[in-house]
């Protein structure tokens, strides 16, 4: 059946396109699920009545398709968009995640803070809680200090381990729109980068490299992304030159505007070369929308203030805050467009191809059964006709025999009557 186009509903963020596509593909799969359930039940019924119309393999395949479609439906309801943040220790990865969420959710601080993988996603129940790997136990989280405590002291966590942090959806539009944000320990603190990639990166739709604008891209950071791009074809990578507020306070910059521009140009060139020439993941034109100069700390502070009812730009802010804030928002917009497009393609394209294949296979089976049942009906009709013709012939024979008998009896009776009357006369 034709479905309403995506533009029918109000879309205020590119992320909602993913949500709508998810809703529609879910609806389609529910229809397919109903169809395959109905078809397999009918096949079971028909098989009981006429076992030679459907063979065992056809019935088995149909039941297989039924469980496959059920499996796809389950995966579909869980599908979300995933963004993973990487970079050296203390570059501000956790702060960037918090800034995007608009509040301090993850622990951040100087030194090595994040010691395992943390996936923040929307909580269905509206409560904040965390679940550690291999456990179903929900640990309530009241505050970021509580979360930090739970992560640092109550458990001896392995750096590769994944802790799910479920945060109320109504607090953040990203979570409402099905984005999961994965924070990681610094790429410089582990020798197990390959394990990290296999465990956490394969299904990521977007990667964000949080670099330090006060220094430059490091070999460990580059190395990590080289490994990622050997395992994933053309990963979507954004580079955030974080701590850009520091450039505003730099006493060495005499002619501040020019110096800041020069540093920016240098970072931009290096980041573009990295994405375009080294990793070959985008064109120079695309790279312009992949590299940003931001201050996650400022954005976080401003958003926290705004939530408490103060104006966004209140408090002591370094020069150029407004421009940096706008650049962060620009990053968020480009990020949303990219993740939504990529997730629809990677997650739903595969499902819809699988779905189409299953429906085609089911159709083939149903057509084979239909043709076979028609052939059998035709055969039975022919047999019936042949039988009827024989019956008619026998009936005709019987009629003619009966008629002949009748005539003979009449003749005999007449003959006897003649003979009797003749005898009586004599
Ligand atoms: P690890 O978890 O240890 O790998 O570090 P991280 O990359 O998550 O860094 P985190 O977010 O914990 O930030 C480290 C420190 O840098 C914190 O004290 C932040 O407040 C500070 N910081 C983060 N972003 C900025 C920024 O844009 N400007 C400034 N000035 N400080 C920042
Ligand atoms: Mg951190």
């Amino acid at each position: 059946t034709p479905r309403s186009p995506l533009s029918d509903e109000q879309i205020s963020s590119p992320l909602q396109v993913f949500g709508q596509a998810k809703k529609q593909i879910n609806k389609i799969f529910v229809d397919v699920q109903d169809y395959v359930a109905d078809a397999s039940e009918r096949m079971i019924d028909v098989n009981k009545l006429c076992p030679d119309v459907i063979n065992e393999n056809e019935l088995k395949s149909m039941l297989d398709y039924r469980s496959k479609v059920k499996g796809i439906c389950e995966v579909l309801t869980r599908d979300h968009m995933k963004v993973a943040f990487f970079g050296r220790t203390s570059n501000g990865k956790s702060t960037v995640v918090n800034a995007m969420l608009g509040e301090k959710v993850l622990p951040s601080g100087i030194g090595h803070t994040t010691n395992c993988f943390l996936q923040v996603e929307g909580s269905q129940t509206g409560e904040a809680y965390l679940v550690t790997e291999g456990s179903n136990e929900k640990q309530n989280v009241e505050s970021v200090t509580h979360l930090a405590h739970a992560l640092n002291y109550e458990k001896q966590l392995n750096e590769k381990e994944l802790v799910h942090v479920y945060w109320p959806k109504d607090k953040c539009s990203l979570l409402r729109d099905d984005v999961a944000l994965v924070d990681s320990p610094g790429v410089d603190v582990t020798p197990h980068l390959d394990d990290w990639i296999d465990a956490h990166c394969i299904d990521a739709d977007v990667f964000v490299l949080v670099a330090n604008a006060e220094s430059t891209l490091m070999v460990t950071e580059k190395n990590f992304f080289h490994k990622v791009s050997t395992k994933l074809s053309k990963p979507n990578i954004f580079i955030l030159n974080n701590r850009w507020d520091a450039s505003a306070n730099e006493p060495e910059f005499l002619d501040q505007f020019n110096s800041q521009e020069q540093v920016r140009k240098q970072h931009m060139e290096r980041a573009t070369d990295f994405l375009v020439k080294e990793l070959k993941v985008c064109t120079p034109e695309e790279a312009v929308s992949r590299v940003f100069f931001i201050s996650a700390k400022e954005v976080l502070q401003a958003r926290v203030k705004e939530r408490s009812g103060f104006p966004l730009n209140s408090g002591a802010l370094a020069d150029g805050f407004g421009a940096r804030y706008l650049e962060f928002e620009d990053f968020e917009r480009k990020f949303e467009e990219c993740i939504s497009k990529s997730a629809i393609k990677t997650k739903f394209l595969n499902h819809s191809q699988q779905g189409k294949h299953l429906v085609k296979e089911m159709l083939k089976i149903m057509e084979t059964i239909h043709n076979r049942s028609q052939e059998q009906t035709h055969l039975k009709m022919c047999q019936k006709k042949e039988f009827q013709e024989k019956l008619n012939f026998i009936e005709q024979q019987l009629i003619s025999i009966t008629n002949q008998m009748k005539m003979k009896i009449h003749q005999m009776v007449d003959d006897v009557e003649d003979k009797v009357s003749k005898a009586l006369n004599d």
Side-chain angles (χ1 to χ4, degrees):
T1 30
R3 284 161 200 280
S4 57
L6 290 176
S7 55
D8 270 11
E9 283 177 38
Q10 286 279 307
I11 295 175
S12 58
S13 135
L15 297 176
Q16 289 169 0
V17 179
F18 176 85
Q20 291 197 357
K22 182 172 164 175
K23 235 195 257 167
Q24 294 201 356
I25 194 168
N26 265 303
K27 253 195 240 160
I28 294 169
F29 268 91
V30 168
D31 287 351
V32 176
Q33 205 173 11
D34 287 349
Y35 166 72
V36 67
D38 196 25
S40 44
E41 267 154 34
R42 271 163 203 266
M43 281 171 74
I44 293 170
D45 288 347
V46 170
N47 202 37
K48 275 186 209 150
L49 290 172
C50 336
D52 48 347
V53 175
I54 297 166
N55 69 40
E56 287 233 332
N57 281 346
E58 287 161 347
L59 192 60
K60 196 176 155 295
S61 306
M62 208 62 175
L63 294 173
D64 274 358
Y65 296 147
R66 193 174 170 166
S67 64
K68 274 189 192 154
V69 173
K70 191 166 171 259
I72 297 177
C73 283
E74 280 167 9
V75 174
L76 269 173
T77 50
R78 282 199 311 268
D79 266 345
H80 53 225
M81 294 170 271
K82 178 169 157 183
V83 48
F85 296 81
F86 290 99
R88 274 170 56 87
T89 311
S90 276
N91 278 4
K93 300 175 291 297
S94 307
T95 313
V96 170
V97 175
N98 288 338
M100 290 175 82
L101 293 170
E103 64 179 314
K104 207 162 189 269
V105 177
L106 300 178
S108 66
I110 48 172
H112 170 39
T113 311
T114 309
N115 57 3
C116 67
F117 280 79
L118 293 166
Q119 176 160 321
V120 188
E121 53 198 293
S123 148
Q124 301 293 349
T125 60
E127 292 159 300
Y129 59 92
L130 64 87
V131 177
T132 50
E133 206 166 307
S135 147
N136 286 328
E137 191 200 340
K138 290 181 180 179
Q139 302 180 41
N140 277 334
V141 177
E142 280 140 31
S143 64
V144 67
T145 331
H146 188 170
L147 178 74
H149 195 265
L151 295 173
N152 285 324
Y153 305 110
E154 286 171 15
K155 292 249 171 221
Q156 277 300 307
L157 291 166
N158 179 326
E159 48 145 59
K160 194 177 100 180
E161 214 165 295
L162 178 69
V163 172
H164 288 268
V165 179
Y166 294 93
W167 203 250
K169 283 188 174 185
D170 56 355
K171 291 193 171 188
C172 171
S173 62
L174 284 180
L175 303 181
R176 223 170 12 245
D177 287 331
D178 260 349
V179 179
L181 303 99
V182 179
D183 189 14
S184 64
V187 282
D188 47 328
V189 300
T190 181
H192 309 296
L193 291 180
D194 286 298
D195 293 351
W196 279 20
I197 295 168
D198 292 340
H200 305 292
C201 300
I202 301 299
D203 62 341
D205 299 295
V206 167
F207 294 88
V208 177
L209 164 56
V210 181
N212 185 350
E214 291 167 292
S215 60
T216 188
L217 279 184
M218 299 280 178
V219 177
T220 37
E221 290 166 327
K222 287 186 164 192
N223 191 12
F224 175 77
F225 281 97
H226 274 293
K227 278 179 187 284
V228 169
S229 60
T230 59
K231 299 207 180 189
L232 291 172
S233 83
K234 289 214 171 185
N236 297 306
I237 304 171
F238 284 84
I239 298 180
L240 296 182
N241 292 288
N242 191 32
R243 298 170 165 271
W244 192 230
D245 54 314
S247 68
N249 301 325
E250 189 51 64
E252 299 289 304
F253 290 176
L254 294 173
D255 179 356
Q256 205 191 55
F257 180 75
N258 276 334
S259 306
Q260 207 179 345
E261 276 308 297
Q262 275 162 11
V263 177
R264 187 180 172 115
K265 198 165 161 260
Q266 187 193 58
H267 281 325
M268 193 72 199
E269 274 168 12
R270 288 187 186 174
T272 306
D273 277 358
F274 178 53
L275 294 176
V276 177
K277 292 187 184 154
E278 286 188 42
L279 296 178
K280 301 186 176 65
V281 291
C282 65
T283 62
E285 294 74 34
E286 286 165 342
V288 179
S289 307
R290 292 294 173 91
V291 184
F292 297 88
F293 294 77
I294 55 130
S295 168
K297 191 178 174 178
E298 281 179 343
V299 174
L300 175 61
Q301 277 171 353
R303 289 184 174 171
V304 168
K305 278 222 174 87
E306 199 187 24
R307 281 193 181 195
S308 340
F310 295 100
L312 197 66
N313 55 357
S314 60
L317 295 163
D319 279 356
F321 162 78
R324 284 189 294 278
Y325 192 88
L326 284 181
E327 188 150 348
F328 193 85
E329 283 189 324
D330 190 24
F331 152 67
E332 288 180 307
R333 189 82 193 168
K334 303 269 166 44
F335 156 80
E336 287 177 5
E337 279 165 12
C338 178
I339 197 168
S340 175
K341 244 189 229 166
S342 158
I344 289 173
K345 213 163 150 191
T346 54
K347 313 251 149 68
F348 302 152
L349 183 68
N350 185 18
H351 291 320
S352 51
Q353 274 168 349
Q354 267 182 299
K356 269 200 245 171
H357 175 74
L358 285 178
V359 171
K360 266 191 201 152
E361 292 295 305
M362 284 192 270
L363 182 67
K364 247 194 243 163
I365 291 185
M366 299 306 271
E367 273 178 351
T368 313
I369 295 172
H370 178 67
N371 290 342
R372 196 181 297 135
S373 98
Q374 277 196 327
E375 272 166 25
Q376 291 196 2
T377 313
H378 180 70
L379 201 72
K380 294 246 159 74
M381 292 291 281
C382 290
Q383 283 173 346
K384 196 175 157 193
K385 204 172 150 203
E386 219 173 278
F387 187 68
Q388 191 67 49
E389 278 169 5
K390 267 189 195 158
L391 220 71
N392 290 345
F393 177 73
I394 292 169
E395 202 182 331
Q396 288 303 321
Q397 297 279 75
L398 282 173
I399 292 170
S400 104
I401 289 170
T402 317
N403 288 341
Q404 283 173 14
M405 295 279 281
K406 255 191 208 166
M407 270 174 54
K408 266 201 176 148
I409 289 169
H410 280 300
Q411 271 175 5
M412 275 168 74
V413 171
D414 289 348
D415 204 22
V416 170
E417 260 181 16
D418 275 356
K419 278 184 182 163
V420 170
S421 61
K422 203 172 170 198
L424 285 174
N425 284 340
D426 285 347

